[in-house]
């Protein structure tokens, strides 16, 4: 199978693809709500089960009850390889970089005439040069406020404190986050053959709390939501984010700065909107950098996409970002190298809409990696500072460590990966 390398592809998603990925609710809901981003005239939709029929899986590799997936590959030797990469220039030449994007609560709105509207109705003129927090529609940025009185809350003895909480919906995948293996699937099974129904298991709580109703950023009826009692919730009974949260992420990682090493990039080393990154692009970048990709390495891919959301002079479109694209060769390469994790500075790691052999697919690599191989995807990374340091000293390997928030039964959770890198500076 080959990918149709169409860099001018739009990114609307029609409602006829509901069966494609059971976990692709955000994209489908965004389309069903009548909001479009660009246009993808999707007259045909491919069969993903046929597409993946002859490709490798890791089901039962670590037992039929495994929920951790490819992070099982990160043991003592892999952790040591990460530490060696971080310390290879000695004790006084080590730098650290947080790869988490800050949360500002600012909405990126494509319609400057309707700044108060989250998702303007009708035709929307993407891309946008507005700045704010990137979020996969219909997720929205989270906002917090103080819960203590003005001046803080005084305590006996003279101490005072201030406290805060989120006062809008805080989507667990609305900022830098790690996808759980049960986040996306096709057919009737998620990772390791667990039934898709396990993603909607109900938990009942002894104590009722007040919360807001509604599944997405906007209520179904368009009216403000009222507080409602919450005594039960639905969530992942298997392959939830608690598994990687409890194990943590720790190993040798390599940055593939595709934006800096492909001649299609702009003057800021950012790939153009809609660009599909092929396995040839990844391997050519590694060769240009002099980077050795080893078995069980963690892959971090820079496109420059998220940087656009903080630059008022750059255009950005949420469903038309550059990203990696499916090919049999790519999936087999990741499987053969036992890559347990792929992170990128965009919303989906992969290009959201892809045309493969003339058929249209939405986030197919989520099926190949999360569901079939148990390979984790880390989205919305901030890579500008790390990439600049790597380009300056030529060292593209580092220790990568972090753990997502341990939110029981969640399909993903915020994570702050930290790169610890040797340097010549």
């Amino acid at each position: 199978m080959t990918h149709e390398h169409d860099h001018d592809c739009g990114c609307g998603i029609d409602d006829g693809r509901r069966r494609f990925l059971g976990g692709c609710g955000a994209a489908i809901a965004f389309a069903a709500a009548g909001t479009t981003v660009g246009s993808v005239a999707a007259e045909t939709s491919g069969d993903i089960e046929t597409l993946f029929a002859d490709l490798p899986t890791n089901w039962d590799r670590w037992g039929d009850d495994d929920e951790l997936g490819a992070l099982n590959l990160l043991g003592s030797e892999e952790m040591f390889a990460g530490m060696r990469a971080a310390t290879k220039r000695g004790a006084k030449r080590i730098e650290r970089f947080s790869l988490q994007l800050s949360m500002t609560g600012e909405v990126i709105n494509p319609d400057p005439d309707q700044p108060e509207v989250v998702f303007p109705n009708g035709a929307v003129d993407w891309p946008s040069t507005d700045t704010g927090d990137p979020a996969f529609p219909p997720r929205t940025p989270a906002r917090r406020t103080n819960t203590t009185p003005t001046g803080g809350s005084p305590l006996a003895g003279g101490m005072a404190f201030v406290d805060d909480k989120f006062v809008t919906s805080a989507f667990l995948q609305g900022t830098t986050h790690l996808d759980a293996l049960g986040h996306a699937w096709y057919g009737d099974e998620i990772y390791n053959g667990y039934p898709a129904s396990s993603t909607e298991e109900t938990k009942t709580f002894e104590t009722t709390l007040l919360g807001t109703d509604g599944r997405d950023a906007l209520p179904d009826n368009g009216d403000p939501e009222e507080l409602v009692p919450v005594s039960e919730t639905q969530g992942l009974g298997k392959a939830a984010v608690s598994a990687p949260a409890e194990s943590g992420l720790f190993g040798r990682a390599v940055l593939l700065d595709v934006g800096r090493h492909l001649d299609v990039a702009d003057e800021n080393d950012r790939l153009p909107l809609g660009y599909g990154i092929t396995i040839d692009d990844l391997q050519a970048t590694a060769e240009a950098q002099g980077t050795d990709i080893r078995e069980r390495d963690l892959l971090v891919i820079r496109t420059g996409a998220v940087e656009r959301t903080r630059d008022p002079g750059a255009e950005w479109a949420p469903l038309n970002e550059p990203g990696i694209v499916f090919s049999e060769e790519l999936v087999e390469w990741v499987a053969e190298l036992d890559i347990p994790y792929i992170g990128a500075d965009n919303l989906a790691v992969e290009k959201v809409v892809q045309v493969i052999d003339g058929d249209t697919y939405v986030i197919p690599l989520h099926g190949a990696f999360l569901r079939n191989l148990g390979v984790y995807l880390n989205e919305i990374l901030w890579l500008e500072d790390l990439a600049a340091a790597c380009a300056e000293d030529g060292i593209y390997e580092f220790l990568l460590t972090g753990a997502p928030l341990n939110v029981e039964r969640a399909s993903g959770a915020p994570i702050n990966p930290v790169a610890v890198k040797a340097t010549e500076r």
Side-chain angles (χ1 to χ4, degrees):
M1 303 285 182
T2 57
H3 172 79
E4 183 179 312
H5 213 126
D6 182 3
H7 302 151
D8 295 322
C9 184
C11 43
I13 302 175
D14 68 48
D15 198 39
R17 301 196 194 106
R18 291 184 182 273
R19 185 178 174 276
F20 169 65
L21 278 184
C24 188
I28 297 300
F30 189 60
T35 304
T36 60
V37 184
S39 63
V40 173
E43 297 178 356
T44 59
S45 183
D47 178 19
I48 198 166
E49 295 193 56
T50 300
L51 186 69
F52 292 163
D54 298 322
L55 292 178
T57 79
N58 280 327
W59 288 15
D60 296 330
R61 180 175 177 180
W62 299 288
D64 59 10
D65 61 347
D66 177 64
E67 299 180 50
L68 182 59
L71 288 191
N72 280 292
L73 297 166
L74 299 182
S76 180
E77 291 183 5
E78 289 72 34
M79 291 187 283
F80 184 65
M83 290 187 286
R84 288 190 64 178
T87 58
K88 70 178 184 178
R89 291 297 183 264
K92 294 186 178 181
R93 291 187 174 179
I94 302 176
E95 296 179 300
R96 66 181 181 273
F97 300 88
S98 169
L99 307 186
Q100 180 177 226
L101 192 70
S102 61
M103 299 172 65
T104 70
E106 294 290 343
V107 174
I108 300 176
N109 192 318
D111 189 347
D113 295 329
Q114 302 184 75
E116 75 287 355
V117 179
V118 177
F119 299 128
N121 294 322
V124 179
D125 187 18
W126 288 97
S128 172
T129 57
D130 197 12
T131 60
D133 292 345
F136 199 109
R139 301 169 192 154
T140 49
R143 290 177 179 163
R144 50 139 308 281
T145 194
N146 290 358
T147 60
T148 42
T150 301
S153 293
L155 301 173
M159 290 296 298
F161 74 95
V162 67
D163 206 350
D164 47 19
K165 72 171 185 177
F166 286 113
V167 290
T168 62
S169 295
F171 292 90
L172 290 176
Q173 299 185 48
T175 186
T176 306
H177 67 274
L178 189 76
D179 285 349
L181 297 185
H183 168 54
W185 70 93
Y186 59 89
D188 298 322
E189 295 172 306
I190 63 172
Y191 168 73
N192 213 24
Y194 293 116
S197 59
S198 67
T199 64
E200 298 177 341
E201 292 190 4
T202 298
K203 179 176 180 178
T204 301
F205 299 88
E206 292 183 359
T207 304
T208 298
L209 297 175
L210 288 179
T212 56
D213 196 8
R215 292 168 293 180
D216 291 320
L218 299 180
D220 294 338
N221 59 10
D223 296 327
E225 302 170 20
E226 296 182 357
L227 292 177
V228 296
V230 176
S231 59
E232 65 179 33
T233 62
Q234 284 69 49
L236 271 63
K238 298 293 183 181
V241 82
S242 288
E246 291 170 358
S247 73
L249 182 73
F250 197 107
R252 178 184 185 265
V254 295
L255 174 69
L256 296 179
D257 193 347
V258 186
R260 198 174 302 267
H261 290 283
L262 292 187
D263 58 12
V264 296
D266 63 16
E267 66 276 7
N268 293 308
D269 299 317
R270 301 167 186 165
L271 295 178
L273 294 177
Y275 188 87
I277 302 169
T278 67
I279 183 176
D280 291 338
D281 291 333
L282 296 177
Q283 293 175 338
T285 297
E287 183 177 358
Q289 295 176 172
T291 300
D292 179 24
I293 302 175
R294 306 172 188 170
E295 289 186 2
R296 305 189 180 187
D297 274 350
L298 311 174
L299 294 186
V300 179
I301 301 169
R302 177 184 171 273
T303 70
V306 165
E307 296 167 23
R308 293 173 174 272
T309 68
R310 297 296 169 87
D311 181 356
E315 293 184 327
W316 180 75
L319 302 187
N320 199 28
E321 293 179 301
I324 58 176
V325 292
F326 170 84
S327 69
E328 290 183 350
E329 293 78 12
L330 174 64
V331 175
E332 289 168 349
W333 181 66
V334 169
E336 289 169 3
L337 283 175
D338 268 341
I339 301 298
Y341 159 104
I342 304 173
D345 60 345
N346 54 15
L347 296 181
V349 175
E350 61 181 307
K351 190 171 182 285
V352 173
V353 178
Q354 301 178 36
V355 178
I356 305 168
D357 289 347
D359 291 328
T360 300
Y361 296 81
V362 181
I363 58 170
L365 288 173
H366 276 59
F369 292 149
L370 293 174
R371 179 192 187 269
N372 293 349
L373 293 176
V375 172
Y376 285 86
L377 300 178
N378 192 169
E379 299 160 342
I380 318 183
L381 293 175
W382 179 256
L383 299 178
E384 183 175 19
D385 302 318
L386 173 65
C390 292
E392 181 177 341
D393 59 27
I395 300 174
Y396 287 86
E397 63 170 344
F398 47 90
L399 165 66
L400 184 64
T401 184
L405 291 179
N406 196 340
V407 183
E408 184 188 49
R409 306 187 311 130
S411 64
I415 183 174
N416 181 17
V418 177
V420 182
K421 192 182 91 68
T423 182
E424 297 286 2
R425 299 196 289 181

